[in-house]
Amino acid sequence: MLNHRMHAGVLLAALLCASAPASADWDKIRQSGHLKVAVYDQFAPFSDRSSGIDVDLAKALAEKLGLKLSLLPFPAGENLSDDLRNMVWKGHYLGYGPADVMLHVPVEPLLMNESPKVSIFAPYHVETVRLVRSARSMPAFDGIDSLAGKTIGVEKVSIAGMVLLGEGNGRFRDQVRIFDTAGEALAQLKAGQLDAVLANRSEIDAVFRDDPAFPLNEVAFQRLPRAGWAVGMAVRKEDQDMARLLQAAINEMKTSGELQAIFARHGVHEQLP
């Protein structure tokens, strides 16, 4: 009889290996006993100093495949193609990577078409951009014109920063303060140094956790999809056995509520694809 604690993913892995020839890559990973998972560094609440949503997800995925976790935090490159090259299919010239799987990859058709060496799949979260404001300095928000005359924080090289700086041919440019991370901007908002911050909903949730003193609003930008964008994971194109196992693990975690529980532990309202 199977141990009642044995995960369905482990059973699936066993069945896969028993019923069909294992791919060389999956067989090598299985024999190593470790799953190498790449996560972005300094990316709270998903992965920062070896903790966060993606770190907990990586631990769960490794366990479901019957493997130990080898976490590979890495700094974001200039673009996603660089990150996929460095952490999925080739490795960085400085000597780190590649991993067996990389987390927090946008599940977008354009990126998929531009990345023939990887498979992008298993969306596990939908990210959206929101405005969080000080109810004291901005008691009401009636649309984008409400930002006039207000000081707004954004993270550099972020979707929020790009859409706000580009809105209306730069009409808000002189009001924007740019920070290295969204966390720094949110801390300044909390300290009363800003009127509002435009950032990812998950980043806002993790800091304010439904604090009524800092309400959230949706802002209609022409260049920003209201529905948000899904994030998933990526493996090498040839690692289809690995992709099937990881997809099954994510499906199981969604059905059981385990995925939602991981987000809840970090104060983030999970939005499933």
Side-chain angles (χ1 to χ4, degrees):
M1 179 179 290
L2 289 174
N3 186 301
H4 72 283
R5 295 181 63 189
M6 187 175 188
H7 289 285
V10 177
L11 177 59
L12 178 59
L15 290 173
L16 177 62
C17 293
S19 62
S23 69
D25 288 313
W26 166 240
D27 195 49
K28 183 178 178 180
I29 293 167
R30 184 167 54 85
Q31 290 180 9
S32 76
H34 290 81
L35 180 69
K36 294 183 290 185
V37 182
V39 297
Y40 284 105
D41 198 13
Q42 297 183 344
F43 187 42
F46 287 93
S47 46
D48 188 27
R49 299 177 184 177
S50 298
S51 66
I53 294 167
D54 281 349
V55 176
D56 288 355
L57 177 57
K59 292 175 182 176
L61 292 172
E63 182 179 354
K64 289 180 185 301
L65 268 63
L67 302 169
K68 295 180 180 179
L69 174 64
S70 291
L71 197 67
L72 297 181
F74 71 99
E78 292 186 1
N79 55 60
L80 275 166
S81 294
D82 289 345
D83 296 339
L84 291 170
R85 181 187 65 246
N86 293 336
M87 302 311 300
V88 179
W89 62 268
K90 185 176 182 180
H92 198 279
Y93 69 89
L94 292 178
Y96 60 85
D100 301 316
V101 58
M102 173 180 160
L103 299 186
H104 221 92
V105 180
V107 186
E108 294 290 338
L110 181 60
L111 180 63
M112 294 176 181
N113 291 336
E114 293 176 347
S115 308
K117 294 181 179 293
V118 304
S119 290
I120 301 172
F121 62 101
Y124 58 87
H125 177 61
V126 174
E127 192 61 88
T128 55
V129 168
R130 291 291 183 266
L131 182 83
V132 58
R133 57 186 167 87
S134 166
R136 180 180 55 82
S137 64
M138 287 186 67
F141 180 81
D142 300 316
I144 197 166
D145 289 339
S146 298
L147 300 180
K150 302 299 182 181
T151 303
I152 311 149
V154 297
E155 178 184 0
K156 67 178 183 182
V157 196
S158 66
I159 291 176
M162 287 188 290
V163 296
L164 183 58
L165 290 169
E167 178 67 22
N169 294 319
R171 61 181 288 204
F172 300 113
R173 192 175 297 271
D174 292 339
Q175 303 167 218
V176 176
R177 289 183 57 191
I178 300 174
F179 296 84
D180 287 337
T181 67
E184 292 176 12
L186 294 166
Q188 289 296 299
L189 175 63
K190 202 168 190 177
Q193 301 302 308
L194 298 171
D195 297 308
V197 168
L198 192 70
N200 290 350
R201 169 73 185 267
S202 58
E203 294 168 323
I204 297 169
D205 283 347
V207 173
F208 291 108
R209 299 178 184 248
D210 298 320
D211 186 339
F214 297 95
L216 270 66
N217 293 99
E218 181 178 342
V219 187
F221 291 104
Q222 292 183 348
R223 299 173 58 195
L224 187 66
R226 290 192 177 190
W229 61 97
V231 294
M233 56 189 74
V235 301
R236 287 175 291 274
K237 179 69 77 174
E238 60 268 24
D239 288 356
Q240 291 306 304
D241 285 347
M242 171 65 72
R244 284 191 290 271
L245 293 171
L246 292 170
Q247 180 70 68
I250 286 292
N251 292 346
E252 176 192 340
M253 293 177 71
K254 288 179 181 178
T255 301
S256 69
E258 184 179 357
L259 182 62
Q260 296 90 322
I262 289 175
F263 279 82
R265 282 202 299 271
H266 296 274
V268 174
H269 294 280
E270 164 59 347
Q271 300 182 76
L272 292 175

